[in-house]
Amino acid sequence: MYTPIEVKKATSSVLRFTSKKLKDEQQTLYFVLKRGGQQVGTYKSVTYDAPGTNHIGQSGYHLVNRAGFNDFLKIHDARKGFSYKIYDSQELSRVIASATASKDGYLSIKVTLPKYENEFEKKSVYLTSTAPGNHESKAQQILITPEHSNPINAKTVTVKNNKHYADTINLNPTKVGSEIKVYRTKKETTYVTPATEKYEPTVIASRVAKGNQTTVYVPQLGTKAGYVYVTITEPGELESDAVKIKFGKEK
């Protein structure tokens, strides 16, 4: 063992250490118990995180890279008071967006993403977090995905809640090959991983557009008025954000 950074004699069954010698990076400490100058048992190792260490897991965020529209980095488990910065390179020389969370939970950061090239020339942005009064964390690399389709315009959607036959959701206009999906509840994320897949709502109806307008048939929306959430996926793009669509009671 090396020279200890702290030595303390126990005066009760609980021993507390206070030290200013810990480094601002992840480190492992080793605790050794001695009685009468002799070591008792084996040492105990404990690893601690640096202040401001990035607390965001791989399923804790997703990019929304929209075609010809605003881009966003959406953090699912932001922490109140933490500052988040997005850099355009691993050198962390230029901040392209930043935000401070006003509450725990969901945080959406508007950002202009570099253009997605292709699967062979992928680009990335880099995310850091800073806890109040602490150092900035190490950067977390986030690959830029293909662009997400723009959300549908709710004004182009007509819903008929029929009493005796299938309910219909009509979109006009649409493009050939676009896939429309209908959800009963809001789809929170357009980035699905094995960790987040179980939280994804069930698709209650879908259809691929064959022409400039498309009708999606739903077996039953319900007897009362309510809402559904509709997404669109254009060819070569990723699924759009969900748009809330109101429907009336059965007629």
Side-chain angles (χ1 to χ4, degrees), residues 153-182:
N153 183 344
K155 294 180 180 179
T156 67
V157 182
T158 304
V159 183
K160 290 185 178 180
N161 191 2
N162 301 308
K163 190 171 186 178
H164 300 295
Y165 44 93
D167 304 323
T168 61
I169 300 172
N170 182 265
L171 286 81
N172 185 6
T174 56
K175 298 177 183 177
V176 175
S178 300
E179 183 179 14
I180 297 94
K181 292 182 180 179
V182 182

Side-chain angles (χ1 to χ4, degrees), residues 17 33 54 63 66 93 107 118 127-128 149 153-156 166 197 200 220 228 236 249:
F17 284 89
L33 176 63
N54 205 329
L63 282 175
R66 289 178 176 166
S93 56
L107 175 65
N118 54 61
L127 172 67
T128 67
S149 299
N153 183 344
K155 294 180 180 179
T156 67
E197 189 173 12
E200 293 298 302
Q220 186 56 248
V228 289
K249 64 181 181 179

Side-chain angles (χ1 to χ4, degrees), residues 234-248:
E234 305 289 3
E237 296 178 352
L238 300 181
E239 187 178 11
S240 73
D241 280 349
V243 174
K244 188 177 183 179
I245 303 295
K246 183 179 181 180
F247 61 85

